[in-house]
Amino acid sequence: MRVGNASGFYGDRHSAVREMLTGGPLDVLTGDYLAELTMLILGRDRLKDPARGYAKTFLRQLEECLGEAVDRGVRIVTNAGGLNPAGLATAVRELAGKLGLDGVRVAHVEGDDLGPRHPDALTAHAYLGGTGIAEALRAGADVVVTGRVTDAALVTGPAAAHFGWGQHDHDRIAGAVVAGHLLECGTQATGGNYAFFTEHEPAALLRPGFPLAEIHDDGSCVITKHDGTGGVVDVGTLTAQLLYETSGARYPGPDVTTRLDTVRLTQESPDRVRVHGVRGEPPPPTLKAGLTRVGGHRNEVVFVLTGLDIEAKAALARAQIEDALDRADSRPGEVRWELARTDRDDADTEETASALLRLVVRDPDPEAVGRSLTGAAVELALGSYPGFHVTAPPGKGTPYGVFEAVHVPVADVPHVVVLHDGRRLDIPAPDTTLDLTDVPPPPLPEPLPYDRDRVRRAPLGLIAGARSGDKGGDANVGVWVRTDDAWRWLAHELTVERFRELIPESRGLDVTRHLLPGLRALNFVVEGVLGAGVASQARFDPQAKALGEWLRSRHVDLPEELL
């Protein structure tokens, strides 16, 4: 079965649906539109109009391409339903009628909404698995719309329906989970955001094609892309995606617990990588659920500091603003300063001679972050450091969101499929579950013997790739190398203590290191580094997308033989 992907997030390439439908044969086309931040955006949409709450761009894509999908016999599975899968399913039926495609059968999956149990949350949704999707497809659905499901469920559901897998086919389902994880972020599997991108021709990376998986009955697959499309599919690009937003050897989900330490990647030919050997265990007895809330209001101002005495200029601006905030009617509850030394000595442009001093304030009261900060910053225009100006004047405070992950018993969450003919099917919870316990870490490889007098101080990224991302308030940083000798060095060199030295921001936080020898990889989870999640914008890089690249840029003593 050939399963393609045409969206990795809400806002991905609009033309991807048509490109995937017309670029080559497919059985199923999936689209992932949801992320933690997206749920907050859709929640605010729903406040304005209760009939909304779904990804509107999906409808526009379908208007252009539904006829193409019907003609080619490609079924469409998407989580674009967001907070309102029933509403999107109705909209798709209406669209099909308008296009003269009255025979299109549309089903949707619901039950993930936990809002009544969390009335103080803007959104509250459990992550369902792929079983409901499978039942909808078995009943003949052409389009399946879901709310919050795991990203991999968009692939496990179609695979289970196609091959007739049952809930106890853990190894097969785990293989499909890996395929789904590799597809879910679209072009990140085909060369996008790839650490070693300079090793590929720039023309190949100009417009990466979207990935597809050729899935087999045993759960193995080949990840590839349509012939003639851009990008690269190789062991490196897939290793990077496998490490994205995961943690240790066990990857729990509602369908299965996937053993990432069993994944094997083999380059079969250009742009074709075989994924095999994956093992699975029963799923945990709980489901992850994501809650989003409005956390308060925030505002910011960025002061531009140019030329000489950058530190002194920053100190003066900070002292003046702090004094003004102290004298204001309401001082913000949180005040954070950050100085980015983007300036250079003897610069030949004013921009490269300038540093940026960023001030972020937060408070439940919009007045405390609005009028107070605006007055404090604007009134300094003629009475502060030489060359005073800001990138933009502060305006009114804007609300920000926070994300919280909780776990609920799987039996407490309804999983319901509403078929194209209106019938409702209750999906039973798994009859076998596994309480996750720590997997004993695999043994460390023998350390690499090398001449310690022949080391070179150089960036870690000369030999190691990295991919990082967010999970709520935590960040993960996956680091991998491409030779056995480099793995023997990395596994002993990049300890938790060494990671904290290289990433000072992680000092004082809980950092866990996981070994994945089959991928020659380490995965670090840094707890709390992102505050209350991406929507809270707690740091400069709120989703930790570049945290891995920062790590790669840090200098370490590299054995010359590895270079």
Side-chain angles (χ1 to χ4, degrees), residues 271-357:
D271 294 323
R272 293 181 60 84
V273 175
R274 183 167 176 255
V275 184
H276 55 102
V278 185
R279 296 290 177 261
E281 298 170 338
T286 60
L287 295 178
K288 178 184 174 182
L291 280 59
T292 65
R293 299 182 176 87
V294 175
H297 293 77
R298 72 182 297 280
N299 206 347
E300 71 174 74
V301 59
V302 179
F303 302 89
V304 182
L305 317 172
T306 304
L308 304 178
D309 305 318
I310 294 294
E311 298 286 344
K313 288 173 179 174
L316 176 58
R318 179 168 180 169
Q320 288 177 311
I321 291 291
E322 292 282 0
D323 178 66
L325 293 178
D326 287 340
R327 290 185 284 103
D329 292 336
S330 54
R331 177 185 171 90
E334 181 182 349
V335 179
R336 296 185 60 172
W337 295 89
E338 185 172 2
L339 175 61
R341 293 299 302 265
T342 53
D343 55 302
R344 304 175 193 167
D345 289 337
D346 194 23
D348 57 5
T349 67
E350 183 176 336
E351 185 172 1
T352 56
S354 300
L356 301 176
L357 177 64

Side-chain angles (χ1 to χ4, degrees), residues 38-100:
T38 313
M39 301 300 281
L40 184 72
I41 294 170
L42 295 179
R44 295 178 67 181
D45 284 350
R46 187 174 59 178
L47 287 178
K48 300 173 186 175
D49 181 354
R52 295 299 186 183
Y54 55 78
K56 298 184 288 293
T57 53
F58 171 72
L59 268 183
R60 293 197 290 271
Q61 291 171 304
L62 212 59
E63 185 173 10
E64 301 172 10
C65 299
L66 183 56
E68 190 78 45
V70 171
D71 290 344
R72 294 174 179 268
V74 179
R75 298 162 115 179
I76 296 175
V77 179
T78 179
N79 61 12
L83 314 184
N84 188 8
L88 180 56
T90 298
V92 172
R93 293 187 190 99
E94 293 173 351
L95 174 64
K98 186 176 78 171
L99 297 174

